[in-house]
């Protein structure tokens, strides 16, 4: 309705329609105020009316549908619909029973056609149906809009998009077949209005069905905006408007930032209301053009309103069956185009990526539309070039983008990256897991980026993907050589990156087959490389790193990073990657001392004790490794200096007890493990002794040099052969002499001036001092070393081997000191070696179990492991009992020259006498390893294995055949070996004689239920 004047309710009654006979009976509908009155006159002045109470407003389009439902056996009813919705209904006997023709039919007027009863406004198409329409049909007709004027025959006749069920209701033929007559403004000729119902429908007209328009009635054809735009070139004509966003308006001095949102809203409405324009948008790549123009314009135009328009259109396209191609274009060029959004406020960007990671990806249609490798590649490109947390230009060499405007802060960028990676994760996991090309793009990012801030969250994504979908991740990771990326990241300076890389490695090894694991890790020695990479930028091992290595060891990997000590392992925990044990041991060995390092060492030893004591498989797993004793010894201390080191050493020996007991009881040929252990223990102790000896010797040299400089005798000491005072009889030769039992290591010049000639290895470090007391001191010998001369310079060390002439060594030739004659030895190390072996050999018999205990058939096992609790009686005694002694006791025995050193011999001397000391091994077990228990009633060796100091002194032998020289060897040439050193002294040692020793080892053979001494040639 469009009244020219204000409506007078009392007088104006504009008719919508009027169908009556010449007698005035029939049907009509007219407006009274804002209400519509539907009338059925059955006789002159008598009938029924129904009021439709709806607030009709002027100058607004309405679709009014009035349905008359006839019933023969009950009351008929009437239903009124406005804009496809039922607004009024009721029972009404509307049927007019007459045989007269309806000859007074008007649309928009009454039969009188006076001014107060003529409809003023516009009428669209008018339809009269011969059947009552149902609500679904009425609602579907309303969806066609006010411009529809056809006959419901062809599905593609309208440009308006209809749902499929609406098309089925309208175009099934029933609606078209029930049209009685229809008129519209387009089917006119001058004042003639043509009836446009289908020709096949039966006509209800007596005469011509066409109508005449009354005076002042005009047929007005209004073209839609869609057809208007189509006539000038289609939707593409609107694109250049986005290039003019930065233009100033004629009266405004500033750019209007709301124009973009308004223009975009207009464009979206056009696309929603026209399928043809959607086709034009898709064919012309409209979103590509719009995205490019938005990149070039000011970022002030990209507001939240603009984002909401794009998101609403994305939701609309999601509901269209044919909207997928246009939705792809929208995502690629608008939603996933970081160049558009990077300069917008952080809240706008957060809204976008929150929608993408939550509501957007949750829709099946959208997921099927965008699920492809290109989306993952595009997102990784955005993370690398636009959403970087740290500028990659310096370290990674990548030219970053998004620097031309105000970027979000680093904290905001990290939040945005989190939502983007969440979207990426859901995109990958929603289908059948990751594809190789998608994983390759992630690995390429990790390889090319160097900044820890840019790597950490992406690395966490890889960990999450491996944890949640290993079935697809592990084969793809293996196929794309992801292990290379892991080892590249292990060289990072950040511990967080190294820990996350270790977790990736842990998940990879956990789900990898055994054969493939051996091919990858062992063939290329990657476990060894693992330790080297971890220590590349740090000199310590943290609890966090150790916890992650422990997860790899047991393959119980979790995504959470544990910074505190992990829970203690139970009996179900199995060692899956035993090489990690060696990696951890080497890391501890190469780390700088510290409080945290001691905590990690204690935790590592405690874990091994629990793992080995609770599972036979874990023990066997380690025993199958080669030379495991070497790194196991490095976890303890040969010479513990405090209670902490003593505790670590005892824990290390406890592990040896468990493993050696298992080897001798359960493993075939387990005695070989004992042999290897003794051999490696001997080499460790000897090395520590020699290293300490060299350090003391160099310290002595430095002190002597300082003393000579003060006395003005610079450079008199040029050769070092041992520790002694300089003698006047033999120039440039330092002698080794017997030291006084009560003498201490000199701390000043006066001590050196008054001290006798001494050997480092004769100095006692334990609380008991030397093995022999002052009352038991016997005459020793002074040894002059002629075989090995070491010249120590400031920057060069020279080692010279001098061959003596073949002369008889006598007191006259060599010289006699006040303590005894000088004798010759092969080298300085021979002294230590011969004394240690002699002591080792002396007390073999003392280590054997008493005979009574060997015959005891009911003895309990020496060591009880957790997996033997059910079948072996409990016993608190271990293979080695507790030994008393202070923590300062050294594993290396204190060798005093109060007991003469044994001269080297090419043949092993016979040992028939009683032995008092076991020497090196005995002292090692005496200070740290408990002694072997005796049987019932027997007394334990309480660690005082060195108690008897006076009996059975070491025999000193001098054999002329050993010191004889051949006649033709008098003129031996001197060989001089020069080595360069800056911080340490290097000695060239020569062992010229082969030594063979018999070592008797006592083993308790549990399975055979008797003791059997085992003799081994070592």
């Amino acid at each position: 309705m469009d009244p020219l004047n204000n409506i007078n309710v009392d007088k104006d009654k504009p008719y919508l329609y009027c169908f009556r006979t010449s007698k005035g009976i029939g049907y009509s509908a007219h407006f009274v105020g804002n209400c519509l009155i539907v009338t059925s006159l059955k006789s002159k002045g008598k009938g029924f009316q129904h009021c439709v109470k709806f607030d009709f407003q002027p100058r607004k389009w309405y679709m009014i549908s009035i349905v008359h439902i006839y019933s023969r056996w009950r009351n008929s009813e009437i239903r009124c619909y406005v804009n496809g919705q039922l607004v009024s209904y009721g029972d009404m006997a509307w049927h007019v029973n007459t045989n007269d023709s309806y000859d007074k039919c008007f649309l928009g007027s009454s039969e009188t056609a006076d001014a107060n009863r003529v409809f003023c406004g516009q009428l669209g198409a008018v339809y009269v149906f011969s059947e009552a329409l149902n609500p679904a049909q009425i609602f579907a007709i309303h969806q066609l809009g006010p411009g529809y004027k056809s006959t419901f025959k062809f599905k593609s006749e309208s440009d308006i998009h209809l749902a499929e069920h609406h098309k089925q209701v309208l175009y099934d033929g029933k609606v078209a077949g029930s049209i009685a007559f229809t008129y519209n403004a387009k089917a006119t000729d001058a004042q003639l209005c043509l009836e446009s119902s289908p020709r096949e429908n039966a006509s209800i007209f007596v005469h011509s069905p066409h109508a005449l328009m009354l005076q002042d009635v005009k047929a007005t054809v209004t073209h839609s905006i869609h057809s208007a735009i189509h006539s000038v070139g289609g939707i593409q004509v609107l694109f250049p408007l986005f290039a003019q966003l930065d233009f100033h308006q004629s009266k405004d001095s500033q750019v209007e930032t709301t124009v973009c949102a308004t223009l975009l809203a207009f464009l979206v409405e056009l696309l929603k209301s026209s399928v043809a324009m959607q086709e034009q948008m898709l064919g012309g790549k409209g979103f590509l053009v719009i995205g490019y123009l938005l990149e070039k314009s000011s970022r002030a135009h990209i507001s939240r309103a603009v984002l909401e328009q794009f998101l609403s259109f994305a939701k609309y396209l999601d509901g269209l069956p044919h909207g997928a191609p246009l939705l792809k274009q929208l995502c690629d060029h608008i939603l996933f185009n970081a160049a558009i959004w990077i300069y917008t406020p952080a809240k706008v960007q957060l809204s976008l990526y929150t929608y993408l990671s939550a509501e957007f990806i949750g829709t099946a249609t959208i997921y099927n539309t965008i699920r492809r490798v290109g989306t993952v590649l595009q997102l990784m490109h955005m993370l690398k070039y636009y959403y970087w947390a740290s500028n990659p230009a310096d370290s990674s060499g990548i030219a970053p983008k998004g620097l031309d405007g105000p970027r979000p802060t680093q904290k905001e960028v990290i939040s945005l990256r989190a939502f983007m990676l969440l979207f990426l994760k859901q995109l990958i996991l929603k289908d059948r897991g990751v594809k190789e090309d998608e994983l390759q793009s992630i690995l390429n990012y990790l390889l090319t980026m160097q900044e820890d801030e840019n790597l950490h969250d992406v690395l966490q994504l890889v960990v999450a993907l491996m944890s949640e979908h290993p079935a697809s991740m592990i084969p793809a990771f293996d196929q794309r050589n992801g292990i290379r990326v892991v080892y590249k990241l292990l060289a990072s300076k950040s511990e967080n990156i190294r820990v996350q890389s270790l977790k990736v490695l842990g998940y990879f090894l956990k789900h990898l087959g055994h054969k493939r694991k051996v091919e990858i890790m062992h063939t290329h020695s990657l476990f060894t490389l693992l330790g080297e990479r971890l220590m590349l930028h740090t000199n310590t091992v943290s609890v966090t790193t150790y916890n992650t290595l422990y997860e790899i060891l047991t393959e119980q990997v979790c995504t959470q990073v544990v910074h505190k000590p992990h829970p203690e392992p139970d009996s179900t925990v199995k060692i899956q990657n035993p090489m990690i044990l060696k990696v951890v041991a080497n890391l501890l060995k190469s780390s700088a001392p510290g409080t945290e390092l001691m905590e990690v060492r204690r935790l590592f030893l405690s874990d091994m004790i629990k793992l080995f004591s609770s599972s036979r498989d874990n023990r066997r797993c380690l025993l199958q490794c080669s030379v495991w004793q070497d790194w196991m010894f490095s976890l303890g201390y040969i010479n513990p200096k405090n209670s902490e080191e003593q505790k670590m050493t005892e824990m290390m020996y406890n592990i040896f007890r468990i493993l050696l007991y298992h080897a001798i009881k359960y493993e075939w040929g387990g005695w070989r493990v004992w042999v290897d252990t003794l051999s490696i223990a001997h080499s460790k102790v000897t090395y520590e002794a020699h290293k300490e000896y060299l350090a003391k010797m160099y310290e002595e040299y430095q002190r002597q040099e300082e003393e000579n400089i003060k006395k003005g005798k610079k450079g008199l000491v040029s050769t070092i052969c041992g520790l002694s005072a300089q003698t006047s009889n033999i120039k440039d030769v330092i002698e080794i002499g017997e030291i006084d039992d009560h003498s201490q290591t000199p701390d000043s010049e006066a001590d050196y001036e008054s001290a006798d000639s001494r050997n480092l290895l004769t100095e006692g470090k334990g609380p008991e001092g030397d093995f022999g007391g002052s009352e038991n001191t016997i005459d020793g010998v002074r040894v002059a070393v002629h075989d090995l001369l070491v010249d120590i310079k400031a920057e060069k060390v020279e080692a010279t081997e001098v061959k003596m002439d073949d002369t008889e060594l006598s007191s006259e030739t060599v010289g006699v000191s006040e303590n005894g004659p000088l004798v010759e030895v092969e080298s300085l190390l021979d002294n230590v070696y011969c004394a240690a072996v002699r002591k080792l050999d002396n007390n073999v018999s003392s280590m054997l179990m008493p005979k009574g205990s060997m015959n005891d058939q009911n003895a309990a096992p020496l060591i009880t492991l957790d997996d033997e609790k059910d079948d072996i009686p409990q016993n608190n005694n271990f293979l080695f009992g507790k030994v008393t002694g202070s923590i300062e006791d050294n594993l290396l025995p204190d060798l005093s020259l109060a007991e003469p050193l044994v001269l080297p011999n090419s043949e092993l001397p016979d040992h028939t006498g009683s032995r008092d000391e076991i020497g090196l091994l005995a002292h090692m077990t005496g200070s740290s390893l408990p002694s072997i228990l005796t049987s019932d009633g027997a007394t334990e060796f309480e660690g005082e294995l060195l108690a008897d100091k006076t009996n059975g002194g070491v025999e000193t032998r001098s054999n002329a055949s050993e010191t004889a020289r051949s006649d033709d060897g008098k003129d031996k040439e001197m060989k001089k070996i020069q080595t360069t050193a800056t911080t340490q002294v290097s000695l060239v040692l020569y062992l010229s004689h082969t030594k063979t020793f018999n070592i008797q080892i006592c083993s308790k053979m549990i399975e055979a239920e008797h003791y059997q001494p085992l003799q081994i040639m070592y």
Side-chain angles (χ1 to χ4, degrees), residues 174-212:
K174 294 181 180 179
V175 177
S178 62
I179 297 177
F181 61 86
T182 177
Y183 299 96
N184 62 78
K186 198 171 185 178
T188 59
D189 184 10
Q191 294 299 108
L192 180 64
C193 188
L194 303 177
E195 196 276 322
S196 305
S197 62
R199 292 182 179 182
E200 59 269 18
N201 293 358
S203 177
I204 61 174
F205 291 93
V206 178
H207 301 291
S208 173
H210 307 301
L212 292 174

Side-chain angles (χ1 to χ4, degrees), residues 358-425:
E359 183 179 355
F360 182 80
I361 194 61
T363 307
T365 305
I366 292 180
Y367 176 76
N368 294 329
T369 300
I370 67 172
R371 177 65 174 93
R372 63 192 191 282
V373 178
T375 304
V376 178
L377 295 176
Q378 195 167 4
L379 288 174
M380 296 309 300
H381 177 83
M382 293 166 59
L383 292 174
K384 178 184 291 188
Y385 289 96
Y386 290 95
Y387 289 95
W388 36 265
S390 178
N391 195 319
D394 297 333
S395 299
S396 302
I398 295 175
K401 299 180 181 179
L403 295 174
D404 300 333
R407 285 175 52 85
T409 63
Q410 184 181 28
K411 185 177 180 180
E412 293 171 341
V413 168
I414 293 176
S415 300
L416 294 174
R417 286 170 63 95
F419 283 103
M420 295 171 68
L421 291 173
L422 177 60
F423 170 60
L424 186 62
K425 175 185 172 183

Side-chain angles (χ1 to χ4, degrees), residues 328 330-339 341 352-353 356 360 370 372 375 378-379 382 423:
K328 286 182 181 181
L330 174 63
C331 293
D332 290 341
H333 305 301
I334 301 295
L335 298 182
F336 298 158
N337 189 355
W341 306 103
L352 170 63
Y353 295 115
L356 291 178
F360 182 80
I370 67 172
R372 63 192 191 282
T375 304
Q378 195 167 4
L379 288 174
M382 293 166 59
F423 170 60

Side-chain angles (χ1 to χ4, degrees), residues 75 111 114 250 270 282 383 453 636 708 735 802 826 833 881:
N75 294 333
E111 71 273 16
D114 55 354
S250 58
L270 289 177
L282 181 63
L383 292 174
E453 296 83 357
N708 291 338
E735 300 174 350
V802 181
E826 292 296 325
Y833 198 84

Side-chain angles (χ1 to χ4, degrees), residues 771 835-843 895 899 917-920:
F771 289 132
V837 173
R838 175 57 60 89
K839 290 178 182 294
L840 182 65
D841 191 48
N842 281 345
N843 280 324
L895 304 179
E899 298 173 356
E917 299 171 2
I918 195 171
L920 184 61

Side-chain angles (χ1 to χ4, degrees), residues 202-263:
S203 177
I204 61 174
F205 291 93
V206 178
H207 301 291
S208 173
H210 307 301
L212 292 174
M213 290 183 284
L214 299 179
Q215 186 179 5
D216 297 331
V217 175
K218 297 180 181 179
T220 303
V221 178
T222 303
H223 296 280
S224 66
I225 187 66
H226 306 87
S227 61
I229 292 178
H230 181 72
S231 64
V232 295
I235 195 71
Q236 294 90 335
V237 299
L238 299 179
F239 297 162
L241 295 178
F242 288 95
Q244 302 176 15
L245 295 176
D246 293 334
F247 289 2
H248 294 276
Q249 302 297 324
S250 58
K251 297 181 180 180
D252 298 335
S253 60
Q254 296 181 351
V255 176
E256 181 61 44
T257 57
T258 61
V259 174
C260 181
T262 305
L263 179 59

Side-chain angles (χ1 to χ4, degrees), residues 637-877:
Y637 298 88
I638 301 300
N639 298 317
K641 298 179 178 60
N642 51 52
S643 59
E644 282 294 328
E645 294 184 359
Q646 181 70 19
K647 185 177 180 180
M648 300 298 123
T649 304
E650 291 176 357
M651 294 176 71
M652 181 262 292
Y653 288 140
N654 192 14
I655 296 174
F656 272 106
R657 294 188 193 103
I658 297 172
L659 295 174
L660 293 177
Y661 174 71
H662 173 92
I664 206 66
K665 180 177 180 180
Y666 295 107
E667 302 297 337
W668 184 85
W671 60 270
R672 299 178 186 273
V673 179
W674 287 64
V675 174
D676 295 340
T677 303
L678 290 174
S679 173
I680 295 174
H682 172 74
S683 65
K684 289 285 184 182
V685 175
T686 305
Y687 172 74
E688 289 295 328
H690 184 62
K691 185 170 64 173
E692 185 176 0
Y693 171 75
L694 293 181
K696 287 288 186 180
M697 186 174 66
Y698 187 65
E699 181 182 355
E700 172 75 11
Y701 162 74
Q702 288 180 324
R703 292 177 183 271
Q704 190 67 30
E705 279 291 293
E706 293 176 358
E707 180 181 352
N708 291 338
I709 291 174
K710 291 181 180 181
K711 293 180 179 181
K713 301 178 181 180
K714 182 177 181 181
L716 290 180
V717 179
S718 60
T719 304
I720 292 182
C721 297
L723 299 178
S724 70
Q726 188 175 7
T727 61
S728 58
N729 295 331
I730 303 177
K731 185 177 181 180
D732 293 340
V733 173
I734 299 180
E735 300 174 350
I736 301 176
E738 177 185 279
I739 69 169
D740 188 6
D741 295 330
H742 301 285
S743 64
Q744 302 295 329
T745 302
D747 295 330
S748 64
E749 285 184 32
D751 294 336
Y752 275 97
E753 293 175 359
S754 61
D756 293 335
S757 302
R758 63 193 64 189
N759 187 355
L760 170 68
L761 296 180
T762 64
E763 297 186 32
K765 297 190 64 162
E768 297 178 353
D770 298 336
F771 289 132
S774 61
E775 69 275 11
N776 297 328
T777 304
I778 63 175
D779 291 337
V781 292
R782 181 182 296 274
V783 181
V785 181
H786 298 273
D787 286 18
L788 186 63
L789 304 179
V790 181
D791 292 339
I792 300 181
K793 306 294 183 182
E795 297 181 355
K796 177 189 268 187
V797 178
E798 297 182 355
T800 306
E801 181 182 6
V802 181
K803 297 296 184 177
M804 300 291 294
D805 292 339
D806 187 10
T807 58
E808 269 321 301
L809 291 178
S810 62
S811 59
E812 294 80 5
T813 305
V814 181
V816 179
S817 68
E818 62 184 26
N819 291 329
L822 290 173
V823 296
E824 178 187 335
V825 296
E826 292 296 325
S827 69
L828 293 177
L829 190 57
D830 283 346
N831 299 335
V832 185
Y833 198 84
C834 295
V837 173
R838 175 57 60 89
K839 290 178 182 294
L840 182 65
D841 191 48
N842 281 345
N843 280 324
V844 169
S845 60
S846 66
M847 290 295 290
L848 297 178
M849 302 290 291
K851 184 176 181 182
S853 63
M854 294 182 182
N855 296 329
D856 189 359
Q857 301 296 327
N858 298 323
L862 298 180
I863 293 181
T864 301
L865 303 176
D866 288 355
D867 52 6
E868 300 171 346
K869 290 180 180 179
D870 297 334
D871 55 352
I872 296 180
Q874 297 291 331
N875 194 315
N876 293 329
N877 295 330

